[in-house]
Amino acid sequence: MATIWERLGLQKRARIGKFDSATIAQELGIWAMTRSGANVSEQSSLAISTVYACVYKIASTISSLGLDVYVRDGASVDVANAHPAHDLIKYEPNSRQTAYEFWETIVAQACLYGMGYAIIERDSRGYASSMTIVDYYDVEAKVVNDEPVYVVRDYGVVRTENMLEICNLFRMSPIRLHRENLGLAKSAQDFGAEYFGSGGQMTGILSTDQPLKKEQMDVIQESWNKAQTQAGTKLLPFGFKYNRISISPDEAQFIETRKFQAEEICRIFSVPPSLVQLPSQTTFNNVEQQNLQFAKHTVTPWANRIEQEIDRKLIPSFDRPRIYSKFALNDLYRGDMAARANFYQQMLQAGVISINEARSKEDLNPVAGGDIHTVQVNQIALDQFGAYSQKIANENAGSI
């Protein structure tokens, strides 16, 4: 077992630049961090299934979205495939990670710790050539010669423009802000584990009117405790009585407490309970609305944070705002097949999109003549609509 000094050394190495005298004792295990008796940290909170599910849902959703660099030329917008930042954010940010793993990891760190960091390496032209995630506890913010910088363990000093920063609200960890809530959830989880680990037997007192020696009490206590962990009928020693002193799961409202705390965690991360498989008031009629709520109020703010940080750190100022990054959020707002078919029909009839544009959104190949925009009047081409209108006007004038 590690001594207090060994544990202190580990904590010191793990907390470079993040020392907090108000919490160091709790994190060393000297006393519990929360009033419920559970020691909650960013890492240990992942053992709470709802925390893990919420972090995974946000991080995996963000990382699964399409992310591209676009170039705007007047009214025309195209993907900037040749821009150095394009492949970096879409395919391979570094030699060891895919883009999916990179964005999933850095967003998960931001969800847990309040900040996710990645060092930006640049080529001789000043364009970003790689991004490497660094652990939250390896980064220390400092001011050197009136300039804010980051000191990264085993790396050195990094200027702010070379550090990709994905932040949560106030750049603070929601785990630390809501550790009492999470502590209650962890304590309820531990209560259930201890209850079933003892064979469903509750804590109690064995009492007798007969005087006993210490050796006799030790033997009876050891024998009784062993029997507590086994199923079957328990036999009390002669002359002893058993008095229960703990409360049952029903009396503690065990299920209700765990359910309520799970919903509290969903509120912290702004994730609808149905999306992390919690029983709720979800029906087939409102499940789509909950998905849209998650897309609008949770995913979109995260996407905006990341887009603005990409534009600020990976795209030079002389390229902005003509060149910018953008997540493909349309997939989150797509309805079922019938709803999408009705949407495309209306957009095609109004001339907003062409047949090939609609096919492209469904990952279908273009067809010959499908680039022409049509309107609902006989589905004629837009560039012929003026001549058609003049023809109809002439015909109407000739019939008078």
Side-chain angles (χ1 to χ4, degrees), residues 223-262:
S223 174
W224 179 256
N225 287 338
K226 287 181 179 178
Q228 286 285 87
T229 61
Q230 301 173 357
T233 303
K234 306 298 184 293
L235 181 64
L236 280 171
F238 178 76
F240 278 80
K241 297 178 182 179
Y242 176 77
N243 299 295
R244 176 168 65 90
I245 60 174
S246 63
I247 61 176
S248 67
D250 284 342
E251 292 170 328
Q253 293 187 317
F254 174 67
I255 298 298
E256 292 81 358
T257 299
R258 294 209 65 188
K259 181 180 178 181
F260 179 77
Q261 289 308 122

Side-chain angles (χ1 to χ4, degrees), residues 108-301:
Q109 285 191 357
C111 287
L112 289 171
Y113 298 99
M115 291 293 297
Y117 296 106
I119 298 175
I120 303 170
E121 300 285 353
R122 300 187 184 274
D123 59 21
S124 58
R125 299 176 300 166
Y127 285 102
S129 58
S130 72
M131 297 186 296
T132 304
I133 292 177
V134 290
D135 189 82
Y136 171 79
Y137 285 118
D138 287 342
V139 180
E140 178 184 4
K142 285 189 174 182
V143 177
V144 178
N145 296 328
D146 295 328
E147 179 185 359
V149 296
Y150 291 101
V151 179
V152 181
R153 183 168 52 183
D154 299 330
Y155 184 87
V157 177
V158 179
R159 300 179 66 177
T160 55
E161 60 265 28
N162 292 328
M163 181 71 82
L164 190 77
E165 306 166 82
I166 307 302
C167 64
N168 208 330
L169 182 64
F170 300 130
R171 301 189 169 210
M172 298 180 69
S173 166
I175 305 301
R176 290 182 178 271
L177 288 173
H178 300 277
R179 60 182 181 270
E180 294 296 339
N181 257 335
L182 299 176
L184 182 55
K186 185 67 167 59
S187 296
Q189 178 176 294
D190 292 344
F191 173 81
E194 291 173 3
Y195 176 78
F196 290 106
S198 63
Q201 303 298 319
M202 291 170 287
T203 303
I205 297 175
L206 291 177
S207 61
T208 179
D209 295 332
Q210 303 298 321
L212 295 175
K213 296 181 179 179
K214 182 180 184 305
E215 294 78 6
Q216 294 174 310
M217 289 189 292
D218 292 341
V219 170
I220 293 172
Q221 182 180 14
E222 182 180 359
S223 174
W224 179 256
N225 287 338
K226 287 181 179 178
Q228 286 285 87
T229 61
Q230 301 173 357
T233 303
K234 306 298 184 293
L235 181 64
L236 280 171
F238 178 76
F240 278 80
K241 297 178 182 179
Y242 176 77
N243 299 295
R244 176 168 65 90
I245 60 174
S246 63
I247 61 176
S248 67
D250 284 342
E251 292 170 328
Q253 293 187 317
F254 174 67
I255 298 298
E256 292 81 358
T257 299
R258 294 209 65 188
K259 181 180 178 181
F260 179 77
Q261 289 308 122
E263 292 174 348
E264 282 278 274
I265 295 170
C266 287
R267 274 190 282 272
I268 293 171
F269 289 98
S270 190
V271 175
S274 63
L275 295 187
V276 291
Q277 289 76 53
L278 285 177
S280 61
Q281 302 297 324
T282 304
T283 66
F284 287 109
N285 294 327
N286 64 17
V287 66
E288 184 175 350
Q289 292 302 314
Q290 291 207 21
N291 290 335
L292 292 175
Q293 176 188 357
F294 176 66
K296 182 177 180 180
H297 298 294
T298 306
V299 176
T300 298

Side-chain angles (χ1 to χ4, degrees), residues 61-75:
T61 301
I62 292 291
S63 58
S64 64
L65 295 174
L67 177 60
D68 281 295
V69 174
Y70 293 90
V71 55
R72 183 184 299 277
D73 185 8

